[in-house]
Amino acid sequence: MIGLSACIAALAVASYGVVAATVGVRRREAALVRSARAAAYTNFVLMTIANAAMIYGLVTHDFSIDYVAQVGSRATPLFFTIISLWSSLEGSILFWGWVLSFYTALAVWLTGPKLGSLGAYANATMLGVGVFFYILLAGPANPWGLISPAPMDGPGPNPLLQNHWLMGVHPPLLYLGYVGMTVPFGFAMGALLSGRLDDTWLRVTHRWTVAAWGFLSLAIVAGMWWSYEVLGWGGWWAWDPVENASFMPWLTATAFMHSAMVQERRNLLRVWNMSLIVATFLLTILGTFLTRSGIISSVHAFSEGPIGMYFLAFIAVVLLFSLVLVAGRSTELRSSGHLDTMVSRETVFLVNNLLLTAFTFTVLLGTMFPLVAEALRGEKVSVGAPFFNQMTIPICVMLLFLVGVGPMLPWRVADLTEFKRKTRLPAIALVLTLVIAFAFGLRNVWGLIAFSFAAWAATANLQEFAQGTAARRRAGGGGAIASLFGMINANPRRYGGYVAHLGLIMSAVGMTGSSVLQSDIVATVRPGEAIELAGYNVRFDELWANEEPHRFVVGANLTVLIDGREAGAMDPRLNYYRSRGEEAITTPSVRSRAHQDLYVNLLAFERDGSSATLHVIVEPLVVWIWIGSFVVAFGALISMVGGRRRPPPVVRPRRVLVEQEA
């Protein structure tokens, strides 16, 4: 079979590449190193063939293939048939292997041989990670098993996965984010193995890290959006273990991107940065383990399989290997810089790192504690949203405050007079927001603090754009727009970061608004009757039903009235898939506006259409969560592909400057 043969060949080629790169560097045999790079390209071709073969099997309904028989169905629409590739364990590992081979080949192609031993070891590391996944594909997660006789039809993918188009977006973004973290990990290991412990690996991987972080940011929000649009409870985050699994590497990657700048500028945190990138990579593997091992119960855990022990063993091997390497190079990694004062940008980044690390450990503790408790005591325990909210909301608020402080402080030593001048406007915005929110009736303490700090942070970041543009106009003349774009193009990493900050602030405002200002009501109504909530009247007009090829749909036609005038129609639905029997999958109807969403879910109905039970929710500001994620991604894009940026100047300690002047 073509697919299985391609996977086995990929395993052999990747294994050869690991050995060839390692031996080639040690023996200084350039031909072997070149052949290892060729192995990376070959692997990409082989994994492309394997994935294309599986998609062909799905589209042609070849139910003799075990995986197709598990997730395929003749009635499933083509779009959902294709994305069934990542709807279950074996297919998702196959897709993961393709993304990894793509990243590896692209990294090898873009860096070429110019990095010498660093690049060769990085290639060996990335191919080594590939070996693990190809072993899974050839063994416990083999999607190419054959069934004889082949069934005439299959059950189709999990109904939750074919109920919304976002399932065609969320998993690929997640894989691009997760697997993308392999590249900086590979170059970090390359630096440790080659002994090239300067900042080269940081500079080489900056764009890779930002790209993976941007994809992961979009993936997390796409998952939140999917939960909001499909699960029917009106929320977007439930501290579900799988949600947490995607969030933890995002936190450590965020910390790494900030501390990497401290290393580049001040030659500090070198061991810390190595540790952060190792932790980020391991958390992506842990996330895959939690999602695909079947060890947890979650609406997001779409598969179970016997691969949990393989992942645990791989995590243990990577952790041990990384610790040995970091410990062995600890003397060479020792930082030569030091903090000059507590009032500086690097100090803010250090505090930011401590908070993000504390955040990660809190989420890790809450996620893993039930598993550990069950393993040790045999009792099922759960850690719910109250624990996470109580522990993490104060950290989120402090981080929001730092998002405003960081841009206003310079590297090394701050001029306190200048700092006070810069904080004047953000402080006014903070106080005004607090007063206005209180005057409009908001009494939730954390809500008041979050809105106020969001105003503080947004003003501080926008002020940087305004002051930088004004300074550029004074220096070179020209219009405001041209000066703004010129400023961003001159330092895309800095201003891309500020744009990402603004996106995060928007999302924080959306999360706060929808959490503390939400109102809802559940009611049973007859045709012609309306439910009143927060200025809306939602009138139930009629019930309808429709038979579709892959499901049976029951929906309610509703009319939205504001001040007695018709303002639109809504149609929440219940979908019945054959594989779920009588269990319905909801499709809420959402009317989105900039200030709030009107969210209606059909909970139940009388078969004769005489009544329907509706859950009506008003969610203020929720749309800003989604808009903020696009702004975050745009900021990451600016940081990655903006104008060519020179390496940042190293800000030397004052002591060194004084010695040189003397």
Side-chain angles (χ1 to χ4, degrees), residues 617-660:
I617 308 172
V618 173
E619 300 244 20
L621 303 175
V622 72
V623 72
W624 292 99
I625 301 175
W626 329 130
I627 295 173
S629 71
F630 289 114
V631 176
V632 167
F634 183 58
L637 188 64
I638 292 173
S639 182
M640 283 171 49
V641 303
R644 299 292 298 176
R645 177 180 166 278
R646 292 172 295 180
V650 175
V651 182
R652 289 171 292 181
R654 175 181 288 174
R655 176 169 50 82
V656 175
L657 294 172
V658 171
E659 288 171 356
Q660 288 182 349

Side-chain angles (χ1 to χ4, degrees), residues 100-112:
L100 179 57
S101 71
F102 167 74
Y103 268 121
T104 305
L106 189 62
V108 168
W109 180 58
L110 291 178
T111 55

